[in-house]
Amino acid sequence: MSLLLEPLIYTSLPGRGFATLTSDAVDEATRQVFFDEIVSRHWNAYDPPPANFRAAFLHWDPACGRTLFGWLYNDGRDEIGRANVPYFLCYRLRDPLDTVRLERVFAALERGPLAFVERASLPTALVSVAWGEETTADAARPGVALPAPIKAFAREGWRRGEPVRLFVAGEEPAATTDATARAIEALTARLPVAVRERRQSLERRKARRTPRLAIAGALVLVASLAGAAVALWQPGPPAPARIASSPAARCQGNNCPSWQQARARTVGAHPGPVWASAVRPDGRMYASGDDDGAIRLWSPAGTLLQTLEGHTGTVRAVVFTPDGRALASAGSDRRVRLWDVGTGKLRHTLKGHSQPVWTLAMAPDGRILASGSGDRSVRLWDIASGRQLYRLRGHGDWVFAVAFSPDGRTLASAGKDETIRLWNSADGKLLATLRGHSAPVRALDWSKDGRTLASASWDKTVALWDVPGRTVRTRLSGHTGRVTAVSLAPDGQLVASGSIDGTVRLWRPDTRRQIHRFDLPDWVLSLGFSPDGRMLIAGGKDSTLRLWQHL
């Protein structure tokens, strides 16, 4: 019996950047599941796997009968010489999954793909494949050995009619194999009480973390049940019911004691990395977005006020309107959503981007929203109607950051092409292109007078640009990993930066010196000062949201 297969490939294509190719028989829903549930979940551009890494995956959804399986390879460079470029080769099984086909899929994953087309030779459309039992040709790429316990759990999940999610790395040193075996044994013992342990602590979750492995049904449930901690950072006594509006205390020289005395307490829970965070302009609420597609609204004291649900993938950006009555969100499902904060109801769903949306910015008058995406475009939207006003083209790769100037006349955008572009927000025309980083630019923020633009880059630096002169005025160096977030204090005295080196650093821009740093257990993914400058909010890969608030 042959397996009748429809191929899907995701990688970087010459002249096109990252894109998904499929056969004509693959429907849009399957394309979306492939990107959201496989590509986005198993490839992290911030923390790519080592060179020559390979893995096998299997994704079966009993609700619709869809079966996807294939391999991830990190073993080449793209046409402009970038390493760590993923190549996902996936097949959709045409026929329903049964016991015979499941075993055939296991055999195929362990054997490796029959054909592997290099990036430079990929056609515009792929053709269907028939994988027969009699095939004896050598595999075009190595497969991945699937441990017997993992296959057994997948079989049991299929038998019970539970979704199967399998992802197994091909590198299996002895230590990793032993750790995996111990984890499987431990998870097996825990299955009957999985639901009762849904709220286990972050410490227990970390203690049971296994190497790059996720299997479906009960195992995925156990691996993802723990609600990770959210920490509220503050000095001295517990946070007040709302954020005070008095001016930020001034730093003396390189000393800022009000920030240096911060400490933490745990106040809530997140199920995954906190990719997005924002403070409402009046300081009475903050928002966070994470891997599960939900936006959570919190009080300054850390009480969960509301959960907004609608996204089907990771939430990458959240931003309040100036009046605080609405919130915009966006993420890997390629949609921008506008919510009513008071009622929690969805006002608009903005469609147009063809790749994940990484960033949002709200114009100071609250009338226009800007979004930046992996499709290389920046789009401007009318908040009231949800209508797209302009599509700004010019970036050569993913757009990671957008930010409006304080007067709303200029929009800055930046991304993976290592450039910063300044646009006229009234007509969408390009005003200038700034070049000064040697790696992708991940975040932007303006000073209150509009004369300085801060940019955070994967080159491990923060640049402070003289906007009228179009030059770098100051460069802040000290991070040991990619800088992923930056924020300027409203009074201009401080620059805050966050990095995958697990630190938030405070800088004096006039002296270029670091005056304090906070050490976190994992990457910093989002960062921002409150409008009054008294609070600094940060979201982390360790599934925590932190707030620093000085006296």
Side-chain angles (χ1 to χ4, degrees):
M1 177 179 64
S2 295
L3 295 180
L4 302 179
L5 309 170
E6 301 298 339
L8 303 91
I9 291 176
Y10 177 85
T11 190
S12 177
L13 305 177
R16 293 180 56 186
F18 286 93
T20 301
L21 295 179
T22 71
S23 66
D24 292 338
V26 174
D27 59 281
E28 180 59 29
T30 299
R31 288 173 61 100
Q32 187 70 38
V33 168
F34 170 58
F35 186 84
D36 289 344
E37 300 297 328
I38 297 175
V39 174
S40 295
R41 287 185 180 275
H42 300 308
W43 182 265
N44 191 331
Y46 293 111
D47 186 24
N52 299 316
F53 173 85
R54 71 183 186 279
F57 55 83
L58 171 61
H59 187 290
W60 178 63
D61 185 349
C64 62
R66 182 189 297 112
T67 303
L68 299 175
F69 72 93
W71 306 265
L72 161 62
Y73 295 97
N74 182 28
D75 61 356
R77 294 177 178 268
D78 64 8
E79 77 279 4
I80 61 175
R82 292 177 299 190
N84 294 322
V85 177
Y87 193 118
F88 284 85
L89 174 56
C90 177
Y91 291 114
R92 190 202 75 187
L93 187 63
R94 280 195 201 173
D95 299 309
L97 188 67
D98 56 21
T99 54
V100 175
R101 293 189 180 95
L102 181 58
E103 297 306 317
R104 293 287 311 284
V105 168
F106 287 155
L109 291 174
E110 292 185 320
R111 183 182 184 282
L114 291 177
F116 190 95
V117 184
E118 297 300 331
R119 294 182 180 89
S121 305
L122 283 170
T124 55
L126 306 177
V127 296
S128 303
V129 175
W131 195 322
E133 290 182 285
E134 69 282 358
T135 301
T136 59
D138 292 337
R141 282 289 192 275
V144 174
L146 305 179
I150 291 177
K151 290 193 283 188
F153 272 104
R155 293 186 190 103
E156 181 64 15
W158 175 86
R159 187 186 67 79
R160 293 180 179 180
E162 299 172 349
V164 174
R165 305 288 188 269
L166 180 78
F167 186 83
V168 182
E171 299 168 320
E172 298 176 344
T176 300
T177 302
D178 293 343
T180 302
R182 289 195 300 272
I184 291 174
E185 182 178 354
L187 288 170
T188 303
R190 288 170 51 82
L191 291 181
V193 296
V195 175
R196 296 200 303 272
E197 295 185 345
R198 185 175 181 84
R199 296 297 179 186
Q200 62 182 322
S201 68
L202 176 61
E203 289 73 23
R204 290 179 61 191
R205 181 188 185 196
K206 289 182 176 180
R208 306 192 78 89
R209 188 173 293 164
T210 60
R212 303 181 67 93
L213 169 67
I215 35 187
L219 280 185
V220 163
L221 179 65
V222 172
S224 62
L225 285 179
V230 176
L232 175 66
W233 288 77
Q234 61 175 30
R242 69 180 297 267
I243 306 302
S245 59
S246 59
R250 292 193 170 273
C251 301
Q252 301 296 324
N254 290 322
N255 185 32
C256 286
S258 58
W259 290 106
Q260 293 163 351
Q261 295 170 4
R263 58 187 179 85
R265 68 182 177 92
T266 300
V267 296
H270 268 280
V274 182
W275 284 91
S277 57
V279 182
R280 198 166 75 173
D282 64 1
R284 294 178 179 269
M285 181 185 294
Y286 54 92
S288 58
D290 56 40
D291 271 355
D292 72 349
I295 299 101
R296 291 171 173 80
L297 304 181
W298 308 86
S299 74
T303 302
L304 180 61
L305 303 174
Q306 196 163 203
T307 300
L308 309 178
E309 297 180 335
H311 286 285
T312 58
T314 301
V315 176
R316 304 281 185 183
V318 292
V319 61
F320 284 99
T321 54
D323 62 9
R325 296 180 179 179
L327 176 84
S329 62
S332 63
D333 63 2
R334 304 177 293 180
R335 301 292 186 260
V336 178
R337 289 177 164 81
L338 189 66
W339 308 84
D340 185 297
V341 171
T343 65
K345 293 183 178 180
L346 182 65
R347 290 186 181 179
H348 297 295
T349 297
L350 313 182
K351 302 178 181 179
H353 286 294
S354 60
Q355 293 292 331
V357 181
W358 284 88
T359 179
L360 295 172
M362 192 72 65
D365 63 6
R367 296 180 179 180
I368 298 176
L369 177 71
S371 60
S373 165
D375 64 12
R376 310 183 191 182
S377 75
V378 174
R379 298 175 192 244
L380 300 182
W381 311 85
D382 177 73
I383 290 294
S385 66
R387 180 174 58 92
Q388 180 178 306
L389 301 175
Y390 298 106
R391 179 181 180 183
L392 312 183
R393 303 185 186 184
H395 282 286
D397 213 321
W398 297 358
V399 179
F400 279 149
V402 289
F404 279 101
S405 61
D407 62 10
R409 296 179 180 179
T410 303
L411 176 71
S413 63
K416 209 169 182 181
D417 63 2
E418 304 176 8
T419 69
I420 300 167
R421 296 172 189 264
L422 304 180
W423 312 83
N424 185 325
S425 61
D427 58 16
K429 292 184 178 179
L430 181 65
L431 301 175
T433 300
L434 309 181
R435 293 180 172 86
H437 285 291
S438 59
V441 182
R442 184 61 182 87
L444 298 170
D445 195 25
W446 289 84
S447 64
K448 290 302 179 183
D449 62 8
R451 299 184 61 84
T452 300
L453 179 67
S455 58
S457 171
W458 289 2
D459 65 11
K460 306 178 186 179
T461 71
V462 172
L464 302 181
W465 297 81
D466 173 31
V467 176
R470 308 291 199 254
T471 59
V472 176
R473 180 190 302 122
T474 303
R475 193 175 297 274
L476 307 176
S477 301
H479 282 291
T480 58
R482 296 172 176 177
V483 186
T484 53
V486 68
S487 184
L488 299 179
D491 63 3
Q493 288 194 80
L494 291 178
V495 178
S497 59
S499 166
I500 68 171
D501 65 10
T503 66
V504 170
R505 304 183 186 225
L506 299 180
W507 312 81
R508 288 293 303 273
D510 52 350
T511 64
R512 305 183 186 181
R513 292 191 177 185
Q514 176 185 308
I515 57 96
H516 193 60
R517 92 178 200 186
F518 300 102
D519 292 310
L520 282 67
D522 215 326
W523 303 350
V524 179
L525 299 174
S526 60
L527 185 69
F529 281 101
S530 61
D532 63 8
R534 295 186 57 84
M535 184 171 68
L536 181 65
I537 184 172
K541 188 184 176 186
D542 65 342
S543 305
T544 65
L545 185 69
R546 292 177 172 85
L547 295 174
W548 289 267
Q549 183 184 347
H550 63 61
L551 296 174

